[in-house]
Amino acid sequence: MDTKKVFEETGKLGNEIHRLGKQLEKVNKQCFEMMELCPHEIVFKYTDNHPRMLLIDGTYFCPACGKSIKCIHPEQIKDSSFKDSRVIPLTNLSLFGTSEVHHTIRNEVYQNMELYYNPEIDIEKLSNRMEELLKDKEQRYENSAKTLRKRKQ
């Protein structure tokens, strides 16, 4: 392929990338607007249990709108849009917030809304059910964390 053809083809591709970028911006804006409208009735709490020096309370994820927030301290949730949410902890697994994990949670809740959004159902039952579905997506850390130490001079 000669240089002129390369310029023409990469120009077309660049224009397509620009068009798709504008379209993605529009879709992202709509997603954020939905997150603002969502009542966040239930949220799932998980952590990746990564061996680190700073302990993190967890990540909270709303299956309805897809919004997630990370909290370092348990009190942070009280200052967030999830403050009135029913929290379903997934604390028996080490989970990393991948799109696959979020998709599994969203699918399960959507297919069983009458179960998850029923305040009379015990939270522990809901936790166990979801953890059973997510156990193959658990993140395991075999080696302990390495810490950096200042050398003595």
Side-chain angles (χ1 to χ4, degrees), residues 7 14 16 18 20 33-34 61 73 79 85 87 92 97 100 102-103 106 111-113 119 126 134 148-149:
F7 266 101
E16 183 68 4
H18 181 72
L20 291 172
E33 288 170 356
M34 290 305 301
F61 172 71
H73 300 288
D79 296 326
S85 304
V87 178
N92 294 322
E100 187 178 2
H102 288 172
H103 178 74
R106 284 178 56 101
Q111 291 176 8
N112 299 288
M113 287 182 68
L126 299 175
L134 292 168
L148 297 175
R149 293 189 177 117

Side-chain angles (χ1 to χ4, degrees), residues 113-130:
M113 287 182 68
E114 69 287 342
L115 178 70
Y116 285 94
Y117 285 93
N118 183 344
E120 295 177 12
I121 303 291
D122 184 49
I123 287 179
E124 188 175 341
K125 178 181 178 183
L126 299 175
S127 293
N128 292 339
R129 180 182 173 109
M130 187 62 75

